[in-house]
Amino acid sequence: MKYLQKLISRQFYHSVLFWALFLSATYSLGGFLLLPHIIHNTLVKQVKQQLGWQTEIEKVAFNPYALTLTIHNLSITDPQAQEQLSFKRYHMDFELRSIIEKAFTFADIELASPTIKLVIDKDGISNFQHAYQLQQAQRTPQAADEIEDKADSASPKLLFDNINIIAGNINIIDQSRAQTVKHQLNPLTFNLKNLATYGKEEGNYQLNIALGKEQTLSWNGTIAVAPLRSKGSLTANGIKVHEFRDYIEAQAPYSLKHALISFSGDYKVKVAEQSTELDIHQGMLQIDDMKLTNKGQEQDFAAIQKIVIGPFNFDLAEKQLQAEAVKIDALDLKLERNKQGLLNILAPFATVDTESTATSGNNTEAPFQWAINNFIINNGQLDFIDKQPTENAQITLHKINFNIHGLSQDLSQSLLFALSYYVAQSGENRLDGRVTPTPLKLQTRVAVNKLALPALQPYLSGLAKVNLKQGKLSADGDLKLSNDQQGQIQGDFQGAVHINEFNTEDQTLNKRLLGWQTLVIDPVKIDFNPLSIAIREIALTQPYARFIVTEDRSTNFAQLVVNNDQQSSEKTTGSEENKEPPLAIKIDKITVKDGDAYFADLSLQPQFATAIQSINGKIKGLSSDNSARADVNISGRIDDYGKMLINGKINPLAGDLYTDLAADFEKIELSSLTPYSGRYAGYNIDKGKLSLHLNYQIADNLLNSSNHLILDQLELGSPVESKESLNLPLKLALALFKDRHGIIDITLPIKGDMNAPDFALGNLIMQAFVNIISKAVTSPFSMLANLVGGDAEQLNSVAFALGSARLTDDQITQLNTLAQLLNKRPNLILEIQAMVDKEQDGLALKKQKLQALLKDSDADNLEQQQHIALLEQLLITYNGQEEQAKLHSAMQAALSAPKGEGKEPLQQSIINEYQRSLEQALLVKQTLPSLAFTELAQQRVSAIKAQLIKQGQVADEQVFALRSSLTGKAQEKTIATTFSLTTD
């Protein structure tokens, strides 16, 4: 009772103890009971006021003595009762040393199992922003201004000894992308020590985040707020960056289908008002299982097993990046070129933003400095599909290894590089050297090892109907390229090229077309600008060519060319408009060893075929220089036993074509040429051999050639019906040319202007052959006269005196010459036709008969008066008394006429005239028998035959007499007995 009275006494209420107890009780009640209620209500109210959401809190506990606040099981839900934010426990420990620190100091802040649901709508606004904006729109303007004023007040000073987040969970649903993206960060742990929002104090932190299965992020170091700065280390493992591809899809040229990124490194960062500093030291970045596709496509065009970058150092302020290495393992690149020639990898860059390009070109900021000591690609593969050719081309490069040293932003530096790769079953192909990117300068050793050429078949198919069956390309040399000030590529290649086991097949006949065993070009030098080629030697071993004349008389090569008239016309037009000098080429030597060729003509009936074997030879000194002359020496065999030899000088590579070439073909069996003889000559060939000696000279586009044919024992067989056969007596022509040994020797000179639009060598040869045959059969004696240098007009006839069959010495010489020619041409038959002029030959015979009568009377020994008397007597004998009397009276009258001086000579003249008149009267009185003219003709033929056969030793069966002609016409007191030639 005593103590109770003291407690309720007035003095007690004024005592220190009372007030101490009262304040303590009030503080305790307020702290333990009232403040948690206030905090609970304030949180609920603020969430409702700011976001319009409902908040449920299981318990709020505050210890006013320990200054700790603990909130249990907070849950915030939206109007649809969907939980947006929650945590199991929040604990805060406030320190009284805040007075000493002059800052709000917290010993511990701990958040256990926080869960945040972050939903981003199509406009990029989160669920928290959307709720806040909705509530703000419902506030009065005054309330909004008050909030802004409070927000503008100075930030308080804070000091945190320890901040812990345990087992956090963040669910992100992003609907702003084309497809909804969901992310879950779980579990998330965070620890931060000694964080101050003022001064230079730095706090230590540790952040661990799990971003799903096998995705972790570990972040530790120090952090300070004023200014914001941090340093430490960051480690990320297996981050599935492809799940974030929707955020970079619009800016990236490609779509990232899959990639796992891991990172480790030390960093320092500082954010100031005017600048941001970021340093990364000994960073390592690794990308695993990376797959890229073009946008809108499912098929990968690039797959990379691993990319390792580092260790690297990065300085944002200095704009510097230095990496020890960038290593790419197992790159699998699938390139495709479409019909328009665009690569799929370049498709995103087909449209260039010129405006942005121009803007970036005016950037005056200091350039970014970067350096990569080693850029490495290991075990890569490239699959290239080219759809531009008619047939898709597929080329695969595998085991690609590449490295380049010293890459940096300074592209003017010379860099050491090496590249190796394989193509299908080829050996290792390599490029080793140095390259300067800007301006381009490349020096490299090129090694191509047995590259399989059939991979190029689709490109060949666009040009010719040819199957590239075999072929291995090898090359070894030095390549130099550079870019001059005008942007032109300069450079050269020096080395050797081998193409071995090459074989092609035409798609029409499915037969071998072109091929060889080995082709060696060593050494070769190619200058690129201006383009020129210099080769020391081209060695070709076992080459083969198949040339076919088809049934429609075109060639297999012509039929194999893919028709592309439009491209041809474009090229022709271009070549006419831009005529360029010929390509500068120099080839010191070409050697051919053990070559073969096959020729067939399917247009003939029967079809014709022949082979040329053992082709060997050399061509020395080929050049495009107009003054150069290459020596040619090539030999071969035709159908096993025939021989071929070609030699001379040529320059086919020059602008001004020059040729002085001799080609000899020996002992070619003519029976195999029967299909040609049937078509063009109208006869089969039973036997014979051909030797052909050709000489072609071309200079200044003028052709001057000689074709020398020697036919040995040629015998024509049965006739062949052919519309194209020559309408000529070929048997006679051959008999004219064939000598007694069975040899036909023909020379065909050919000339022509190669600039003429209708120039065709084949036509010229055929025309020359027709001309010489025509000339031979129409003027055979002219051809024979050429053999002995004689006169054709003296060989084709004998001009006898009127009424005579006697040969003169000149005629005997002439017939002896003809005999020699007939002996040389045993197949020729000489036909003799005697000609008689009845009038003039008859007169001559009558004179011969009268002369015989006078000779019998010994008239030559009589004086004139006695001779006249004999003539008068003979005339009277032929019943010419009256005629004699008239002639005598006329003479007497002439003699009786008055005369002047010189009477004696005049009288003699009258007497002489009288004598002639008597002789003429007697001549008329002479008669000839009907056989006189025939006998005269026979005598003439006999005289000629005797001279030819008996004296000239011409075979009797070579000389025939034709029926004589009595309708001949004498000229100049002679009449010709004509000759003609024929054969059996």
Side-chain angles (χ1 to χ4, degrees), residues 72-92:
H72 297 275
N73 295 325
L74 179 142
S75 176
I76 299 175
T77 58
D78 63 8
Q80 287 76 35
Q82 297 290 326
E83 187 176 82
Q84 305 297 309
L85 186 148
S86 67
F87 55 78
K88 289 185 178 181
R89 178 175 178 273
Y90 170 78
H91 177 77
M92 179 184 70

Side-chain angles (χ1 to χ4, degrees), residues 363-379:
N363 190 356
T364 58
E365 293 184 5
F368 191 85
Q369 305 290 314
W370 59 273
I372 302 174
N373 290 340
N374 294 285
F375 181 86
I376 302 169
I377 297 177
N378 287 330
N379 197 27

